[in-house]
Amino acid sequence: MFEKEQQLIETKIKEFCTANDIPLAELKWQPIPFSGEWGLATAFFQTAANEARAGRGSKAPVPQRAQEIAELVKAQIGSVAGISRIDAVKGYLNLYYSTAEYARRVMEEVLASRADFGRGAKKNERVMVEYAQPNTHHSFHIGHARNTILGEVLARLVEFAGFETIRASYPGDLGLGVITVMWIYDKLYKGQEPEGVHERGQWLANLYVEATSMLEKQENETPEQTAQREAYDAERREMYRRWDTGDTYVRELWRTTREWSLEELRAVLHMLDVKMDVWFYESEVDEASKTIVDELIAKDIATDERPQGGAVIVKIDEKLGLTKEKYRTNVLLRSDGTTLYLTKDLALAKMKFDQYHVDRSIYVVDVRQSLHLQQAFAILKLWGFPQAGKCYHLGYGFVSLPEGAMSARRGRVVLFKDVADEAVRRVLAVESQKSGDIPASEREKIANQIGLGALVYSMLSVDNNKDIVFDINEALSFDGRTGPYIQNAYVRANSILKKAGKQVAGTQVSTSFDYELTKHEIELIELISRFPQTVEQAANEYRPLVMAAYAYDLANIFHSFYHAVNVLQTEDEKIQNARLQLVMAAKQTIENALRLLDIQAPEVM
RNA sequence: GCCCCCGUAGCUCAAUGGACAGAGCAACUGCCUUCUAAGCAGGAGGUUGUGGGUUCGAAUCCCGCCGGGGGCACCA
């Protein structure tokens, strides 16, 4: 917002250094910390160090010489319009903005852009974010929720940062797990179908647990039990074979049961306000993946060992000319001619590049699949896709339970829907004592917004490379560094504006901040002004946490401001108008941040 | 054996080369006839696992060690 002034000063510094033979290092600017005032700072340590190395300048120690240079530069610059003061402190040059002017510029920008405040300039690049890849015939658990929330927030961030963004889901709708559920359904539960989308999804998950116990080798089996188990397994294998050959009955059974899972997935995505653009199904990619194998063999990227009774493999390190073991060797086609996960991911990547013209491809996948994805990216590079360098794996630590890893097999999972329901119950339980007057018709909706807000924020406030041990009391906490804390800041801002009523309508952009601002107002304006660069950083680094941390900081400062400064009781009308405008800007910025975090902003709570 | 990630306050986590390492939770002290206390203010809590190195400057970069987690071709 002060780019022009900054440019002018940079030019002056450069001129001064050239004239005085000072080897100026690159100028890096940062906000002045702990000042209670706004401004930019740059350090001269590097310059002083350069000078010392070249044997020039005074023989003073670096910090002292840096301070000398800062003082000389300060004297040289003189006064600049829009900059109230320049200080040389501890080797830093601090430029303080004129407060009234700074506040005016920030407010003007927020209130002119509104929902677009912080939006980055349009980039000519198309990004695809792939997330939400649960297996069908199971139920959506809290680990899937972390994946989906991270993916959605990342998509929102890159989209808001200016990239054309495509959201892609990739459900795993084939494999032994799927067949296992179909087998037990067909054998024991045919014709049954619980009411309710989520109930049906959970029922399938339970069938899987039951089937697993029937098919797994038990300790101290009697010969009869062993025979029984082997018979079951033979039935399951037969069903897999029939599925493979396209048997009408089995395929129909598959489509029906799969649809139950997909309905549940769509319902969960709807709850999380996720609108997928593209659905890739593993079963569909499977067909396509068979054709790429021949192409990779023809290009001499893959090695066909089938004539020797082996598989089709890619010796990745060898093909890349690496002498040290890095990507190793991986199989593309089993010796029985069936494809693997890697084969499908390669085919899918090709589809993304060729059909969807994706320039940048982000995979939100569990960190344990890091090697696998690095292998896939390396093969894409060998294949000659220029986008291979812009494939990025956003790995995240897995979500486990206090009693250990989740296991769909054993039914030891925490289902997303159960947690979400519990969240709503807990909000409703405290609503009567904590909330103001909320119309009965709104209660459920607001409880949903707050409950999900708590859950979503708990998934975002931990950096993605960290594992999470899921504790429902922590995830659904409403106090302190949580979603509801941020939502409450929004509600309070809204409440002030609502009560102000008339004044808001009359508030003009011409409002002046030409009065002595309190420390809280200064901090609030400062943080609002940093929103655009925070969006950029979070999107560039693919880190939702950066935005989550910002939203908390902004809410935190707003809460302090709220207590310290009573807006509606401000007597001077001019000052009150300025403060109302500040509240409007804060409300807007919190709203924009919450939207990026996939958390709803309730009007009351 | 090789590769990746992590080690920061009692606990859960921030801060990725800059000025004084910050929050929340737990515990402690205050603040509700006030724009909603899902909040605010205050004190307490740290030789950033450890030993070296690079740098004017290191929680951050490099090397060693200790401790924890994950992964290493016909699973996904």
Side-chain angles (χ1 to χ4, degrees):
Chain A
M1 261 168 264
F2 276 75
E3 290 81 4
K4 229 176 59 206
E5 288 81 357
Q6 187 186 331
Q7 272 302 319
L8 178 70
I9 287 165
E10 269 193 31
T11 308
K12 286 193 175 192
I13 295 174
K14 281 175 189 158
E15 280 170 10
F16 170 78
C17 288
T18 308
N20 291 278
D21 199 27
I22 295 172
L24 180 68
E26 190 197 354
L27 284 167
K28 282 180 290 191
W29 297 92
Q30 53 172 341
I32 304 171
F34 357 94
S35 61
E37 285 181 85
W38 304 302
L40 281 178
T42 192
F44 288 101
F45 297 114
Q46 196 58 56
T47 300
N50 286 350
E51 209 180 46
R53 223 166 288 140
R56 279 187 279 166
S58 66
K59 294 284 179 278
V62 166
Q64 195 183 323
R65 177 58 183 159
Q67 175 62 14
E68 280 173 30
I69 297 171
E71 279 167 15
L72 292 169
V73 166
K74 177 195 164 181
Q76 175 67 19
I77 294 170
S79 69
V80 175
I83 303 293
S84 68
R85 188 170 104 246
I86 297 177
D87 273 354
V89 185
K90 293 182 180 174
Y92 290 85
L93 186 75
N94 294 340
L95 316 175
Y96 295 92
Y97 302 141
S98 304
T99 39
E101 176 62 12
Y102 184 75
R104 190 186 63 78
R105 289 190 197 184
V106 174
M107 293 301 109
E108 240 171 49
E109 190 175 329
V110 180
L111 298 177
S113 321
R114 294 276 169 179
D116 285 326
F117 174 57
R119 187 184 286 281
K122 211 170 164 61
K123 321 273 191 294
N124 286 316
E125 248 184 285
R126 183 179 290 187
V127 181
M128 182 177 275
V129 185
E130 181 201 302
Y131 56 106
Q133 312 102 326
N135 288 327
T136 61
H137 299 75
H138 294 302
S139 206
F140 196 92
H141 62 61
I142 201 73
H144 297 127
R146 184 179 194 187
N147 170 291
T148 302
I149 291 163
L150 271 178
E152 175 61 19
V153 172
L154 187 67
R156 289 178 185 218
L157 284 168
V158 295
E159 190 168 53
F160 200 63
F163 292 94
E164 190 188 340
T165 304
I166 304 175
R167 293 161 169 81
S169 174
Y170 182 33
D173 59 348
L174 48 80
L176 192 62
V178 169
I179 299 292
T180 302
V181 174
M182 287 161 55
W183 165 76
I184 192 170
Y185 172 79
D186 192 53
K187 186 176 181 66
L188 302 177
Y189 297 96
K190 193 156 50 181
Q192 295 186 31
E193 186 184 338
E195 282 291 320
V197 171
H198 293 282
E199 289 74 4
R200 218 164 38 188
Q202 290 173 26
W203 183 66
L204 285 177
N206 292 337
L207 293 194
Y208 184 60
V209 176
E210 188 182 344
T212 302
S213 72
M214 289 166 73
L215 289 156
E216 257 183 1
K217 192 173 160 62
Q218 310 291 321
E219 276 176 50
N220 307 320
E221 273 179 349
T222 63
E224 292 77 26
Q225 285 172 326
T226 306
Q228 179 67 267
R229 178 170 55 75
E230 283 170 358
Y232 288 155
D233 195 40
E235 288 173 20
R236 177 170 66 162
R237 279 202 305 274
E238 170 61 10
M239 183 172 272
Y240 207 160
R241 193 196 59 78
R242 285 170 70 191
W243 187 89
D244 247 343
T245 56
D247 177 282
T248 320
Y249 175 78
V250 173
R251 284 284 172 145
E252 189 49 42
L253 179 65
W254 171 69
R255 260 187 292 275
T256 307
T257 47
R258 181 181 90 145
E259 190 52 26
W260 295 346
S261 285
L262 293 175
E263 269 180 35
E264 196 202 7
L265 175 58
R266 286 191 292 264
V268 169
L269 294 182
H270 181 74
M271 284 173 76
L272 291 170
D273 194 25
V274 174
K275 296 180 185 75
M276 281 294 162
D277 300 302
V278 187
W279 291 83
F280 297 114
Y281 296 99
E282 202 181 343
S283 56
E284 287 169 10
V285 176
D286 189 41
E287 298 297 317
S289 66
K290 284 170 183 156
T291 62
I292 68 158
V293 176
D294 291 332
E295 188 185 337
L296 286 167
I297 294 170
K299 284 191 186 288
D300 194 32
I301 295 164
T303 312
D304 191 354
E305 294 186 339
R306 279 175 297 185
Q308 295 85 47
V312 178
I313 62 172
V314 185
K315 297 173 182 171
I316 309 172
D317 287 333
E318 191 184 307
K319 294 293 174 187
L320 282 169
L322 300 178
T323 47
K324 275 202 305 194
E325 189 179 68
K326 184 164 183 193
Y327 299 107
R328 300 163 195 256
T329 295
N330 212 339
V331 175
L332 225 47
L333 208 58
R334 288 194 191 94
S335 30
D336 67 3
T338 54
T339 65
L340 286 121
Y341 186 42
L342 178 67
T343 331
K344 291 167 208 162
D345 251 339
L346 290 171
L348 182 56
K350 183 180 158 67
M351 220 184 286
K352 289 176 180 178
F353 299 150
D354 290 350
Q355 293 173 26
Y356 292 89
H357 309 289
V358 169
D359 302 302
R360 192 182 284 256
S361 193
I362 304 174
Y363 296 73
V364 182
V365 182
D366 188 328
V367 73
R368 284 175 290 192
Q369 290 176 35
S370 165
L371 176 61
H372 160 78
L373 285 167
Q374 292 314 312
Q375 289 173 329
F377 299 162
I379 294 172
L380 290 172
K381 189 179 169 195
L382 286 167
W383 206 347
F385 285 107
Q387 301 96 324
K390 287 190 170 179
C391 286
Y392 181 80
H393 172 209
L394 180 77
Y396 58 90
F398 61 87
V399 182
S400 63
L401 305 177
E403 58 268 34
M406 284 193 274
S407 163
R409 230 166 242 281
R410 295 197 196 131
R412 194 173 64 194
V413 292
V414 172
L415 296 177
F416 169 77
K417 185 61 165 56
D418 291 341
V419 177
D421 288 348
E422 174 64 17
V424 174
R425 270 196 297 276
R426 291 189 185 194
V427 178
L428 287 172
V430 295
E431 217 170 45
S432 54
Q433 35 171 329
K434 288 190 174 175
S435 301
D437 296 325
I438 295 180
S441 59
E442 291 285 296
R443 289 225 164 147
E444 188 83 13
K445 183 184 155 203
I446 289 166
N448 254 295
Q449 293 178 323
I450 298 169
L452 276 179
L455 181 56
V456 167
Y457 194 83
S458 77
M459 291 289 174
L460 294 172
S461 60
V462 177
D463 213 349
N464 34 266
N465 63 5
K466 280 238 156 61
D467 292 345
I468 293 181
V469 177
F470 186 78
D471 176 335
I472 192 160
N473 292 320
E474 244 167 63
L476 299 186
S477 164
F478 305 141
D479 301 320
R481 203 175 202 289
T482 63
Y485 176 93
I486 302 165
Q487 290 171 315
N488 191 32
Y490 177 84
V491 165
R492 286 177 145 182
N494 188 50
S495 165
I496 294 174
L497 296 173
K498 243 184 353 200
K499 290 237 161 118
K502 259 201 336 236
Q503 288 113 307
V504 178
T507 304
Q508 293 303 313
V509 184
S510 62
T511 306
S512 170
F513 284 85
D514 197 10
Y515 62 96
E516 198 171 334
L517 298 171
T518 64
K519 169 174 152 271
H520 295 95
E521 287 168 296
I522 287 173
E523 284 181 2
L524 186 52
I525 295 170
E526 159 90 32
L527 217 62
I528 290 171
S529 76
R530 281 195 210 165
F531 179 63
Q533 66 216 54
T534 306
V535 171
E536 200 186 323
Q537 190 202 342
N540 281 345
E541 297 177 4
Y542 301 132
R543 281 182 66 206
L545 170 70
V546 169
M547 184 50 64
Y550 171 84
Y552 172 77
D553 289 344
L554 179 59
N556 179 239
I557 284 172
F558 185 80
H559 279 302
S560 298
F561 162 80
Y562 178 91
H563 277 271
V565 180
N566 195 312
V567 176
L568 296 181
Q569 281 177 21
T570 302
E571 303 209 336
D572 186 318
E573 194 184 335
K574 209 184 76 187
I575 297 178
Q576 193 187 56
N577 273 341
R579 288 179 173 163
L580 281 168
Q581 202 177 66
L582 176 55
V583 173
M584 286 168 78
K587 180 189 166 189
Q588 185 68 58
T589 309
I590 296 170
E591 185 181 335
N592 292 5
L594 283 174
R595 195 177 62 239
L596 290 173
L597 295 174
D598 195 17
I599 294 173
Q600 307 225 6
E603 298 298 310
V604 287
M605 67 187 272

